[in-house]
Amino acid sequence: MAMVSNATHDPKHADKVLQDYVTVTVMNIITTFFSSPFAEQSTNVQTQHPMFVRLLQSTYRVALCNWLTGQQRYHVENCSRTLLEIAKIRGIAIPGDLETQLTAVFNKSQMIMKHSRAWMTAGKIRSDTVSQQTQDYRNIIEGLQDIVSLLEDQLKPLVQAELSVLVDVLHRPELLFPPNTDARHKCETGGFISRLIRHTEKLLEEKEEKLCIKMLQTLKEMMTIDVEYTGKSESLRQLLLTSYYGRTQVRTNRTLAQNSLNSSVQDSDRGAIMLNRAEMTLHDVQCHLDREGATDLVIDLIIHNHSSRTFQETIGLGIALLDGGNCTIQKSFLNRLTSDRNSEKFFRVIYDRMRDAQTEIKATLSVTTGETLTNKADEDRSGGQKDTAKSKTKADREIFTSELQEQMADAASTTARAYVHLQHIRHLEKGDSGAGGRQSLPAEEFIGERAMEKEKKKLSSEIAIMEPILRFLQLLCENHNRDLQNYLRTQNNKTNYNLVCETLQFLDCICGSTTGGLGLLGLYINETNVALINQTLESLTEYCQGPCHENQNAIASHESNGLNIIIALILNDISPLGKYRMDLVLKLKNNASKLLLAIMESRHDSENADGILFNMIPKQLVEVAKLAYHQVEIMEEEQENGKGGDEEPSGEEEDEDVTNSRDVGHNIYILAHQLSKHNKELAEILKPAHGDAHGDIHIDPALEYYANHTAQIEIVRQDRTMEQIVFPIPEICEYLTPETKHRVYITAERDDQGSKVSDFFSRLDDMFAEMKWQKKLRANALLCWMSGHMSFWGRSSFYLAILINILVGLNFPFINATREFDPRLSGLVWTTMFGSLAITITVWPPPRFVVITLVISAILRLIFSFGIEPTLILLGTVNVLNAIMFAVSVMGNYGTFNKPWKQMLTDFEFLYHMGYLIVSMLGLCLHELFFSLLLLDLVYREETLLNVIRSVTKNGRSILMTAVLAIILVYFFSIIGLIFFQDDFLMEVNVASALGITNKEVVNAAATALNGSPVLNADKMEEFCQAPDLFNSTFLKGLNETERASLQSGCLEKFSKDKQSIDEDDTGIERHCDTLLMCMITSMNEGLRNGGGIGDVLRKPSSGERLFYVRVVYDLLFFFIVNIITLNLIFGVIIDTFADLRSEKQQKEEILKNSCFICGLERSAFDNKTVSFEEHCKQEHNMWHYLYFIILVKVKDPTEFTGPESYVAHMIKEKNLDWFPRMRAMSLAADDGEIEQNEVRNLQFELQRTNITIQELSRQLTELKEQMTEQRKQKQRMGLFTPSSAMGTI
């Protein structure tokens, strides 16, 4: 009522159907209810006082509408008057102003009625008796229907909640009995469920069909996912559970549990879903019921073939048992069917149901071309009206919630049933069935006609039962169960029922080809039967996948038009269904393309492909794939023109439609790709780039999109045969970063067979996690932008570090005052800076040297204007900000933010960039010399320098042990030196002054400050000593006041000496081996650093000394053992390690360049072959295509797997890599096969020539034999003639 009263007053944009329904039908229902005896006896009116007042206010608001017709106003005011009277009779308090307003409305209406009563009386013709009787019938029926509908709506949730408790009890029947009792023990072992299942079958023998159906439904509900109950329903459940179990069953938060569960099992099978009421997974519940006899119950009930209702519920129970492709249930069905002698009847029942459905379809199929053309003409005439109505009601539909729509549908259905029942009475009353009825009650007649039309479009029960039957057969073959696939085709019984061919025959029948309508699919496929056709296609697909070659051949070579129907579903426009339900058409084409792919799956011959191509135009197939791609633009244009449907989809729904249409087109493209191997014309059409008559190259966007998102790999089956798989690249694979690809490609390790598959396979989980993180990262625009420019931030950090250190190295220590520069140089800097800036702005992207010139000139300008220190502060700040951006981008790309803190603290990348950032901040805030540490980033970036570091660290233990040996030897030599040559350890040293600074250093510093060079100038010494800023220099700024005064007082005295005397005064001789520690330090420091060993720094002994020769031996042994042998051992280890690393790097580069990443074949194996090595690595054995296929297996629903996908998924689960080709390629096998075929062909040719020669020799031999025989006969004749003539002479 609120919607109607608030709706637009413009009659061109109002929803008149809704207005008539509210003002006439709803008002009559309310009036009839409150006028009936049921309302008088009910006490609900007093208890629902606020609702009653709101209802009265709503009717008043509707009564104030200006667009009400006379009939509508009469019904509204009649309803308001009835409600007001009920309020007065029942003593219901209503607002005084509301009563006054209603009374005013009634008085106004009475005045109008008084003046028009004469006119209305003159128009009355109907008999009062018949009218009163009809009105009474109508009021009774409407009241009863309204009461029933109201009670159903109010009590339905409570009834469902009460029935759901029965499922809880069946899951845990042992809780009904005390612990440690026989009854509880039997229930725990499944005795209760077992007896219940056996009793279900006996119910049919006892003619208790309704109870049997209820039990079947309850068993099926035991395998349904938990339903949330709230409010009164949940309270009722808890109350019943408490009364049954004796304690409250606290339910867990199923919403959170289910959400987490769905996220965890999204990529796994459906059987892993947890049923909280059963405290088991769906797979476990199915197996539990199977052990107690549920599978046998399904088979027995199907064999006995009771009523259609029982059969339908039995099939539903079988579907629930097999849901998710439970292999255990499939095995139970197969064992029972193969061992039972009555299994033939099981298949006969299903076969007969299929036959009955086909007969029903042929008997009821009444669609003709003429009728369809008439409907199309009507649609064209009413097209403008529909578009107006759609735009008119679009805003109203957006207000409808799902709950309100359900309530409106229920109310419409209830009202339609009542008025359809009264239709006959009205016709009798009026004497005809013409337009009078429609004029009197247009809303009721309209609703009744809509209900009758909807009822008429429904499938008959014989046809509708086929959808669950086909779903049941599909689940029997789920997960490519080869035994059941073959068993559905042939049972090896006395009479075999080929359900595979019968399913194809049913598809042929329901699509209308039995009536000669092939090619006119739009006449037979509609919104009512499209779901059944889709199920038929899915069942046929499941029969073939695996592959099951026998079923493939049975479908491809069947005598019906089934294969032609499947092709026609893809190629033809299914109109008029496609005009208003394009989603159903796309789903139909998608299933049809999957079926054709299943028919050709894993076949090494071209028989089925040739059969498909024989009935198909290749160009038309490609055009259908293109049209599916461009469906996005078509839908957008239709929405702009107001023809895009009743509702404008939201952004989320629109994206889903886009993805769906392109996925369908992609499947059709893959079908065309598979067929192109057997048709050169199709292979040529599939190329994205085509040239025209002028030589220009045109690229088709649809084919380019499909080609870029399609991949192919080669796998090895269990029988060691190779198979090629073409598949769509999953969307999530687009989020794999190029940096990760490069890192994995470079760092993957080879195995013994030359393949890197094992190491590559071990990194799959990390790469998949990175893909999911990158997809999540796209939601954060700022972080996504920062992560997308990671390489830029890295390069910028390195260049800034180099630039800052160049400035520090050239100018440290800094001078605060700015220097004066040549104006010409300053002008050149300004000109260069503005010129490069102009080029950068006008040319995008600018050349690299222009950017470098702009940066250098800008920095020089800053130095000239503000000095070196402010410029360094600015560059240091930019470097810190850039380091932050770089660290965030790296952590964003690698998903560090998604890792726990402990894992982050052990991540080298995270620690490295945090250290880089800390050093940058120390250089900015503490001291400029910290910037020098940033140059070590070059070692991290360059692999060559990393190898230098690795040459020390790789064999670090060997080097460390050798160094320990060197220390031990030095220790021995130190002991000998302490004992025998203690007096020879005399070292010349330079003694520092009392202030810790030598006089020479002071003189050099003073000379540098005065002259700019460390050369003394005697004329300026006095000026230097008396200068006030002498001790403010960087070199002497650490002195305190006493030290400054002492140094300044003796400045002239010290500087009066010349440089040579200062050097002499500072020089002295010290003993360095008075203790063993000092002796060892001296030997280590001086002996290892000097080329000749320790002898170079010791005192030179005289040849006449007693220990002269011992000293010589000591020096030589130290030199040979420590300096030559030990140190060279360390150097040798480092050099050999570096050489090994370099050769390993070269070998790795050679392997990456000349061997296949997947199979390990060398480049030379593809010499003089039809496929080059580059084509092999890019197309046949692309490493990333194998990654994409594994990701596809992870994200795809297991029940949707093809045969190869199921095989690979099983191998991945077992961590078995035998499905990867090793040292094999199908192209090489094809070339070898061609060579063998050529050899066989040559042998056949030689054999034919030999046969011809043998035949010629045989012919000649036969002729020779005939000639010899003829000559022998002639000789015999001559011998006969000669004796006879002799006798005559005698």
Side-chain angles (χ1 to χ4, degrees), residues 430-709:
K430 297 168 187 173
D432 59 3
S433 58
R438 182 174 296 274
Q439 291 175 0
S440 62
L441 291 172
E444 291 84 341
E445 294 290 344
F446 175 77
I447 295 172
E449 289 179 3
R450 288 292 300 270
M452 293 172 63
E453 183 181 354
K454 188 174 181 181
E455 189 71 22
K456 185 178 178 181
K457 284 185 177 181
K458 282 187 177 180
L459 295 173
S460 62
S461 59
E462 291 84 357
I463 303 174
I465 193 62
M466 281 302 301
E467 187 171 354
I469 289 176
L470 292 173
R471 175 61 178 167
F472 175 70
L473 296 178
Q474 177 192 357
L475 290 174
L476 281 177
C477 302
E478 196 71 71
N479 296 327
H480 318 304
N481 193 314
R482 182 72 61 84
D483 295 332
L484 280 169
Q485 285 175 332
N486 291 321
Y487 200 66
L488 291 183
R489 188 185 70 259
T490 174
Q491 296 85 40
N492 296 323
N493 293 328
K494 185 176 181 180
T495 303
N496 287 322
Y497 298 96
N498 192 339
L499 299 184
V500 175
C501 293
E502 200 60 33
T503 305
L504 184 65
Q505 188 71 33
F506 176 78
L507 175 67
D508 175 46
C509 184
I510 196 173
C511 291
S513 70
T514 55
T515 63
L518 184 62
L520 302 175
L521 294 176
L523 308 181
Y524 308 99
I525 301 176
N526 49 58
E527 194 172 356
T528 306
N529 62 4
V530 67
L532 180 55
I533 298 175
N534 276 318
Q535 181 58 61
T536 308
L537 294 172
E538 292 173 2
S539 298
L540 287 170
T541 303
E542 199 62 46
Y543 295 161
C544 298
Q545 287 181 340
C548 182
H549 295 301
E550 295 81 3
N551 287 350
Q552 290 175 343
N553 296 332
I555 295 174
S557 60
H558 195 260
E559 58 186 5
S560 68
N561 290 327
L563 193 60
N564 296 339
I565 285 290
I566 300 168
I567 297 173
L569 288 174
I570 299 176
L571 300 182
N572 294 355
D573 292 333
I574 303 176
S575 180
L577 180 63
K579 291 184 177 180
Y580 58 93
R581 288 303 302 272
M582 180 54 68
D583 56 333
L584 298 179
V585 174
L586 290 174
K587 185 177 180 181
L588 203 61
K589 292 180 179 293
N590 191 34
N591 288 328
S593 61
K594 288 181 179 179
L595 177 54
L596 290 182
L597 287 171
I599 294 175
M600 297 188 299
E601 182 180 291
S602 302
R603 296 188 68 93
H604 300 286
D605 56 11
S606 60
E607 182 179 355
N608 291 351
D610 293 339
I612 295 173
L613 288 169
F614 181 77
N615 301 302
M616 180 185 292
I617 301 175
K619 186 175 181 180
Q620 189 177 2
L621 181 64
V622 179
E623 291 299 327
V624 172
K626 292 181 182 179
L627 182 62
Y629 175 83
H630 295 294
Q631 188 65 34
V632 183
E633 291 82 1
I634 296 174
M635 293 175 63
E636 290 177 353
E637 292 178 0
E638 290 180 350
Q639 290 173 5
E640 291 176 359
N641 298 331
K643 299 180 181 179
D646 295 342
E647 296 182 6
E648 187 173 334
S650 62
E652 199 172 304
E653 294 176 350
E654 186 176 355
D655 293 341
E656 185 177 353
D657 292 339
V658 170
T659 304
N660 185 29
S661 63
R662 291 190 174 175
D663 286 346
V664 174
H666 207 165
N667 281 337
I668 298 175
Y669 174 83
I670 292 175
L671 173 63
H673 187 279
Q674 295 289 66
L675 292 173
S676 65
K677 301 175 184 177
H678 311 279
N679 188 290
K680 294 183 179 179
E681 178 186 358
L682 184 57
E684 188 66 26
I685 295 174
L686 285 178
K687 293 181 179 179
H690 294 279
D692 55 9
H694 303 286
D696 298 331
I697 303 298
H698 299 281
I699 298 178
D700 190 281
L703 295 180
E704 184 183 20
Y705 170 83
Y706 292 143
N708 294 334
H709 290 78

Side-chain angles (χ1 to χ4, degrees), residues 74-361:
Y74 168 75
H75 289 293
V76 174
E77 292 178 358
N78 189 25
C79 179
S80 301
R81 186 179 292 107
T82 303
L83 292 175
L84 189 59
E85 291 176 356
I86 292 296
K88 292 179 179 179
I89 294 171
R90 299 290 184 90
I92 300 175
I94 60 175
D97 55 344
L98 179 60
E99 183 177 0
T100 304
Q101 293 168 352
L102 286 172
T103 304
V105 172
F106 296 155
N107 293 335
K108 182 179 179 181
S109 299
Q110 288 178 0
M111 187 178 298
I112 296 174
M113 290 292 294
K114 181 178 179 181
H115 292 286
S116 61
R117 187 170 299 163
W119 303 337
M120 295 179 64
T121 305
K124 287 185 179 180
I125 304 175
R126 296 196 300 174
S127 171
D128 294 338
T129 307
V130 177
S131 177
Q132 184 65 31
Q133 185 179 4
T134 305
Q135 185 67 26
D136 292 341
Y137 289 157
R138 175 184 171 189
N139 291 338
I140 293 173
I141 294 175
E142 287 179 352
L144 290 174
Q145 292 289 346
D146 183 47
I147 292 170
V148 172
S149 177
L150 183 63
L151 290 176
E152 286 181 353
D153 293 339
Q154 291 182 353
L155 299 179
K156 187 176 180 180
L158 298 177
V159 172
Q160 291 178 348
E162 183 177 2
L163 293 177
S164 68
V165 177
L166 178 60
V167 178
D168 290 72
V169 172
L170 291 179
H171 279 306
R172 304 294 301 275
E174 64 274 6
L175 298 178
L176 297 172
F177 305 98
N180 302 323
T181 59
D182 293 339
R184 188 182 183 100
H185 178 70
K186 290 180 180 179
C187 292
E188 289 175 348
T189 56
F192 179 79
I193 295 296
S194 178
R195 295 191 63 179
L196 183 65
I197 291 174
R198 291 197 299 269
H199 182 67
T200 302
E201 187 176 358
K202 292 181 181 179
L203 288 174
L204 288 177
E205 300 175 0
E206 300 172 358
K207 306 301 181 182
E208 295 288 346
E209 183 179 358
K210 292 184 179 180
L211 186 56
C212 176
I213 291 173
K214 185 60 183 176
M215 290 306 306
L216 292 174
Q217 293 174 347
T218 305
L219 290 174
K220 183 169 62 175
E221 289 176 3
M222 291 179 66
M223 292 172 284
T224 57
I225 301 176
D226 301 328
V227 181
E228 280 294 324
Y229 296 97
T230 57
K232 294 182 179 180
S233 302
E234 177 62 19
S235 301
L236 178 61
R237 275 182 49 82
Q238 294 296 336
L239 179 63
L240 292 174
L241 288 173
T242 303
S243 63
Y244 290 152
Y245 292 151
R247 59 184 179 86
T248 303
Q249 297 292 318
V250 181
R251 297 179 63 212
T252 59
N253 190 346
R254 287 184 187 163
T255 302
L256 297 176
Q258 194 63 35
N259 289 339
S260 61
L261 179 64
N262 290 338
S263 63
S264 62
V265 302
Q266 182 180 5
D267 302 332
S268 62
D269 60 292
R270 179 178 169 84
I273 297 177
M274 178 65 69
L275 304 182
N276 292 328
R277 288 190 292 182
E279 298 181 358
M280 292 187 294
T281 62
L282 176 61
H283 181 275
D284 295 334
V285 174
Q286 291 170 339
C287 294
H288 171 63
L289 293 177
D290 173 56
R291 287 192 299 269
E292 306 307 327
T295 303
D296 295 334
L297 175 65
V298 172
I299 295 175
D300 291 336
L301 292 180
I302 292 178
I303 289 175
H304 289 93
N305 193 19
H306 294 277
S307 65
S308 298
R309 177 67 172 163
T310 306
F311 180 81
Q312 182 178 1
E313 295 298 334
T314 305
I315 291 293
L317 178 59
I319 292 173
L321 285 170
L322 291 165
D323 192 16
N326 193 320
C327 298
T328 305
I329 308 298
Q330 290 176 343
K331 188 176 181 181
S332 298
F333 271 104
L334 181 62
N335 293 337
R336 170 66 192 277
L337 292 174
T338 53
S339 60
D340 193 351
R341 296 180 180 179
N342 294 326
S343 62
E344 181 180 341
K345 191 174 181 181
F346 175 88
F347 289 96
R348 186 179 65 194
V349 170
I350 298 178
Y351 181 84
D352 291 341
R353 293 276 181 176
M354 289 185 172
R355 283 291 181 179
D356 294 342
Q358 295 179 45
T359 304
E360 181 69 17
I361 290 173

Side-chain angles (χ1 to χ4, degrees), residues 969-986 1071-1080 1082-1083 1094 1098 1107 1110-1111 1114-1115 1118:
L969 294 175
V970 170
Y971 179 67
F972 291 156
F973 280 100
S974 299
I975 294 174
I976 297 174
L978 178 64
I979 297 174
F980 298 102
F981 309 108
Q982 185 177 9
D983 296 333
D984 293 344
F985 282 82
L986 300 177
R1071 295 173 60 87
H1072 276 228
C1073 195
D1074 292 337
T1075 62
L1076 181 59
L1077 178 60
M1078 195 64 192
C1079 190
M1080 185 175 177
T1082 304
S1083 300
I1094 193 65
L1098 296 182
L1107 297 177
V1110 178
R1111 168 70 187 279
Y1114 176 81
D1115 293 344
F1118 191 97

